[in-house]
Amino acid sequence: MEIPSDLAGPPPADTPVPGFLDAALESFGLGRAQLSPVWRNGAGGLTFSVASAGEASPIDYYVKWNPAAAGESLAADAERLCWIAGRHPAPAAIELVTNAHEEVLLTRALPGESAVSRRWKHEPEVALRALGVGLRQLHSVALDQWPADWNVTHPRGVEDADASDPDGAPSIDRLVLCQGDPCAPNTLLAADGSFLAHVDLARLGVADRWSDLAVMSMSLAWNFTDYDESVFWEAYGIEPDPRRIDYHRRRHNA
């Protein structure tokens, strides 16, 4: 989960490559590839870009490494990337290697940049529009073939959608396919600033759409300055609901 902490964000250029990741790349036939660190998540996991033909070559892959104790599952990420292929834009999962202590996932690179790259941080209106469009597209994915045992649903079932709740939870608005970790860094933009894809899908699941909307809109302040939040809401196509936003942000922060 990309969170506002001293651990999350681009790591130093001299970040060591974990030995298990190095060995995994050897087994993938990428032992001589050029690696560059691009992200450290709040759980201590690392992501590197992989240029298989050398330092000046285009990026061919991204490789993620997580310690098993991180609480993040690259196996779940790989499963969901395979399921969503052809349904919604996301990287292709190429290889997954795990042991009792570590995980490594290799994905194919897409021709775009994170919404929080230097370019898009300087063009927040473009980035926020793509964030809204991307979530709207994801939330429109059909759920008829979604594996039931992957569900990450609202704490109350669909049958209780209109019931009052003693803890102050609002009724369910709409159950959709949610990103689950919808922070701005997990959206890619194409060169023209349009939405390209979502990444980091280990928490992808069925939930009230406000669980994504509340967290995504909260993450804007972590990543952008001098932005107009209304651009995000207009791009998604909904008016902000203060009660639902407050509830889902409190659940997230808890």
Side-chain angles (χ1 to χ4, degrees), residues 9-207:
D14 60 352
T15 297
V17 177
F20 185 66
L21 187 154
D22 221 6
L25 288 176
E26 286 281 354
S27 71
F28 302 158
L30 295 169
R32 296 186 179 182
Q34 178 70 31
L35 301 185
S36 298
V38 296
W39 196 260
R40 178 192 287 119
N41 66 29
L46 294 166
T47 300
F48 294 82
S49 63
V50 182
S52 58
E55 186 172 0
S57 302
I59 295 170
D60 299 303
Y61 307 97
Y62 284 91
V63 63
K64 297 180 184 179
W65 168 85
N66 265 357
E72 300 291 334
S73 173
L74 293 183
D77 196 359
E79 286 180 330
R80 285 155 174 77
L81 288 174
C82 290
W83 182 87
I84 208 167
R87 294 180 169 95
H88 180 77
I94 306 300
E95 297 279 359
L96 173 72
V97 176
T98 68
N99 65 19
H101 307 289
E102 300 166 274
E103 298 178 297
V104 170
L105 174 62
L106 184 73
T107 62
R108 194 169 302 282
L110 295 173
E113 292 183 295
S114 166
V116 300
S117 67
R118 180 178 299 179
R119 175 185 178 185
W120 300 123
K121 280 193 171 189
H122 284 89
E123 298 185 55
E125 183 169 331
V126 175
L128 267 62
R129 187 174 297 110
L131 294 173
V133 169
L135 272 190
R136 187 179 72 236
Q137 290 185 18
L138 179 64
H139 293 173
S140 299
V141 172
L143 298 176
D144 56 321
Q145 296 182 6
W146 178 253
D149 58 342
W150 288 358
N151 280 359
V152 182
T153 58
H154 191 284
R156 291 175 295 134
V158 180
E159 67 279 4
D160 297 323
D162 295 319
S164 61
D165 192 305
D167 71 359
S171 62
I172 295 172
D173 176 34
R174 185 180 299 172
L175 290 173
V176 299
L177 186 62
C178 280
Q179 207 275 349
D181 185 10
C183 306
N186 291 339
T187 298
L188 302 183
L189 273 63
D192 64 359
S194 61
F195 168 70
L196 178 66
H198 282 118
V199 301
D200 290 353
L201 299 183
R203 299 182 184 183
L204 189 75
V206 178

